[in-house]
């Protein structure tokens, strides 16, 4: 029998975990310690780190990387997908505290889980390296393939999945579910079928001014250097009124409607930035970040900082964690109902 989702939740009688210590003033000694932690995570003196912790290195970390795995006790896969110009390390790292919250915080509040990040080339302008020519669909297919392989190798194909996606990463998730649902190969269908919830952080469901800003920066950079290359396909998707964006959203909403009709609704909460980016203003406004008919909440940060939480008492972290915990309880009830029905059918037979 698969582990109960209730095992994810801390006991009411247990003592609440203490918050992370307040960062100290920089010194040569603690700067060196912080630099080491940025690679392998905080030490056991600063956090209660299970032996199952997996290091994530500074940089892009392309593909699916496991950040925490409780093995057979895991009842849910939580997958983090970064956004435009981000990567699987920096997008989720609070630089002052050096806390990478999917690695350092979430595993304490949901220990019976497997936490992964998916990294892809999301740079649209690069002075020194060629920009990836991959389109949105390429990144989505790659993520589906990587997750399927991870789950097949550990015999966890039926395990529930919760996605946490920032900016363009939300569109990658939506396209990935469409790719999974429409796949001819049976083994690829599991990703869409297993998806229980999605946290969208500043995802431009209706496009964003970021595309115009990035395109302007690209044109200016192109005039300054012939080495610059641009993935204009990614920018095209982000433009308001984009035909590709409309198709991605229509396909995703058809999945949402079908799952709701089947009684296996995908839980969704959208978060939007409350603060503007200095010199650029609002990147993804509320009207683009929300999905009609689903909960929407704000995070008191700008578009880039809304994914970075320094400690467990941070209000943004508390809001995101609350959604994930609620969905695990709901999934637990659904699993218990399904198990009960299966048992009843077996007895009747």
């Amino acid at each position: 029998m698969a582990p109960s989702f209730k095992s994810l939740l801390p006991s009411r009688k247990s003592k609440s975990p203490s918050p992370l210590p307040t960062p100290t003033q920089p010194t040569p000694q603690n700067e060196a310690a912080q630099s080491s932690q940025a690679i392998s995570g905080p030490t056991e003196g600063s956090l209660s780190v299970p032996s199952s912790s997996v290091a994530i290195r500074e940089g892009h970390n392309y593909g699916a990387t496991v950040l925490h795995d409780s093995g057979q006790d895991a009842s849910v896969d939580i997958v983090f997908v970064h956004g435009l110009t981000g990567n699987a390390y920096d997008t989720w790292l609070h630089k002052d505290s050096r806390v990478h919250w999917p690695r350092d915080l979430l595993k304490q509040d949901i220990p019976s889980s497997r936490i992964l990040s998916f990294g892809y080339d999301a740079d649209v302008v690069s002075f020194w390296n060629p920009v990836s020519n991959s389109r949105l669909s390429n990144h989505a297919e790659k993520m589906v393939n990587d997750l399927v392989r991870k789950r097949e190798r550990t015999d966890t194909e039926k395990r529930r999945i919760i996605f946490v996606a920032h900016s363009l990463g939300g569109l990658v998730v939506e396209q990935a579910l469409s790719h999974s649902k429409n796949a001819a190969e049976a083994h690829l269908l599991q990703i869409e079928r297993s998806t229980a919830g999605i946290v969208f952080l500043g995802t431009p469901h209706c496009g964003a001014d970021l595309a115009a800003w990035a395109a302007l920066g690209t044109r200016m950079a192109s005039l300054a250097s012939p080495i610059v290359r641009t993935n204009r396909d990614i920018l095209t998707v982000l433009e308001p009124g984009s035909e590709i964006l409309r198709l991605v959203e229509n396909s995703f909403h058809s999945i949402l409607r079908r799952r709701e009709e089947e009684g296996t609704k995908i839980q969704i909460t959208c978060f939007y930035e409350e603060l503007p980016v200095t010199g650029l203003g609002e990147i993804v406004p509320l009207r683009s970040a929300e999905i009609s008919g689903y909960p929407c909440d704000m995070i008191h940060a700008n578009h880039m900082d809304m994914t970075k939480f320094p400690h467990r008492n941070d209000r943004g972290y508390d809001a995101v964690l609350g959604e994930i915990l609620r969905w695990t309880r709901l999934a637990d009830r659904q699993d218990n109902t399904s198990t009960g029905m299966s048992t009843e059918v077996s007895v009747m037979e």
Side-chain angles (χ1 to χ4, degrees):
M1 181 181 295
S4 169
F5 270 80
K6 292 180 180 178
S7 64
L8 299 173
L9 308 177
S11 171
R12 293 183 179 179
K13 295 182 181 180
S14 63
K15 190 175 181 181
S16 299
S18 59
L20 293 174
T22 302
T24 58
Q25 293 298 319
T27 66
Q29 290 79 10
N30 62 38
E31 282 185 350
Q34 286 182 347
S35 177
S36 174
Q37 289 179 8
I39 300 300
S40 59
T43 64
E44 294 191 11
S46 59
L47 281 170
S48 176
V49 181
S51 59
S52 59
S53 298
V54 181
I56 180 172
R57 291 174 172 78
E58 188 170 0
H60 292 289
N61 297 277
Y62 291 142
T65 301
V66 177
L67 309 179
H68 166 76
D69 190 354
S70 60
Q72 293 303 315
D73 292 334
S75 299
V76 62
D77 283 344
I78 306 174
V79 183
F80 287 80
V81 187
H82 64 82
L84 189 67
T85 72
N87 62 61
Y89 184 79
D90 292 316
T91 291
W92 316 104
L93 178 73
H94 188 270
K95 293 185 178 180
D96 291 338
S97 64
R98 308 305 299 175
V99 169
H100 187 278
W101 68 272
R103 177 195 65 191
D104 303 330
L105 304 183
L106 192 61
K107 67 183 178 186
Q108 295 191 63
D109 290 304
I110 310 182
S112 298
S113 63
R114 177 167 57 186
I115 303 173
L116 308 95
S117 64
F118 176 73
Y120 59 99
D121 188 350
D123 288 336
V124 293
V125 178
S126 176
F127 283 91
W128 307 112
N129 298 303
V131 175
S132 170
N133 288 321
S134 296
R135 294 177 170 85
L136 180 69
S137 59
N138 300 133
H139 296 315
E141 291 175 16
K142 174 62 174 173
M143 182 169 72
V144 169
N145 292 334
D146 280 12
L147 292 179
V148 166
R149 282 191 287 267
K150 291 280 188 186
R151 289 158 65 86
E152 286 180 336
R153 290 171 184 169
T154 53
D155 194 25
T156 54
E157 295 97 320
K158 296 183 180 180
R159 182 182 290 170
R160 303 277 185 148
I161 303 173
I162 293 174
F163 288 99
V164 180
H166 176 234
S167 191
L168 175 67
L171 302 182
V172 173
V173 170
E174 293 179 3
Q175 184 68 17
L177 296 189
S178 297
H179 174 67
S180 173
K181 172 184 174 295
N182 298 318
E185 298 81 3
H187 66 283
L188 298 179
L189 300 174
Q190 61 170 283
I191 302 302
E192 185 271 321
R193 291 176 177 175
S194 300
T195 298
I198 308 172
V199 172
F200 288 112
L201 298 167
T203 293
H205 301 288
C206 299
D209 292 337
L210 176 62
W213 166 73
L216 176 61
T218 299
R219 289 197 298 269
M220 293 178 65
S222 297
L223 294 175
S225 173
I227 303 177
V228 173
R229 301 183 185 180
T230 306
N231 186 339
R232 299 188 183 277
D233 291 321
I234 293 294
L235 296 182
T236 300
V237 172
L238 291 174
E239 291 177 349
S242 163
E243 178 67 14
I244 298 176
L245 180 59
R246 185 184 68 82
L247 293 175
V248 169
E249 291 298 316
N250 286 349
S251 179
F252 178 61
H253 280 269
S254 70
I255 293 175
L256 297 182
R257 288 191 297 269
R258 178 182 58 81
R259 289 285 298 271
E260 188 163 8
E261 292 170 356
E262 294 174 351
T264 58
K265 179 179 179 180
I266 297 177
Q267 303 299 314
I268 290 176
T269 297
C270 301
F271 289 91
Y272 64 96
E273 64 228 44
E274 184 179 7
L275 303 180
V277 175
T278 302
L280 296 176
E282 198 174 40
I283 303 299
V284 180
L286 170 61
R287 64 180 181 276
S288 185
E290 64 180 351
I291 298 178
S292 178
Y294 290 88
C296 191
D297 198 359
M298 70 172 66
I299 291 181
H300 187 71
N302 63 36
H303 186 71
M304 276 77 81
D305 293 338
M306 68 186 302
T307 62
K308 310 175 192 302
F309 308 130
H311 49 71
R312 299 166 77 188
N313 293 330
D314 183 90
R315 292 184 178 181
Y317 175 72
D318 184 67
V320 174
L321 174 65
E323 300 306 299
I324 298 175
L325 287 177
R326 183 184 306 112
W327 298 343
T328 60
R329 294 188 181 100
L330 178 60
D332 188 26
R333 291 196 294 269
Q334 292 173 342
D335 285 349
N336 289 339
T337 300
S338 299
T339 301
M341 292 178 63
S342 299
T343 302
E344 182 178 348
V345 170
S346 298
V347 171
M348 292 177 63
E349 292 177 346

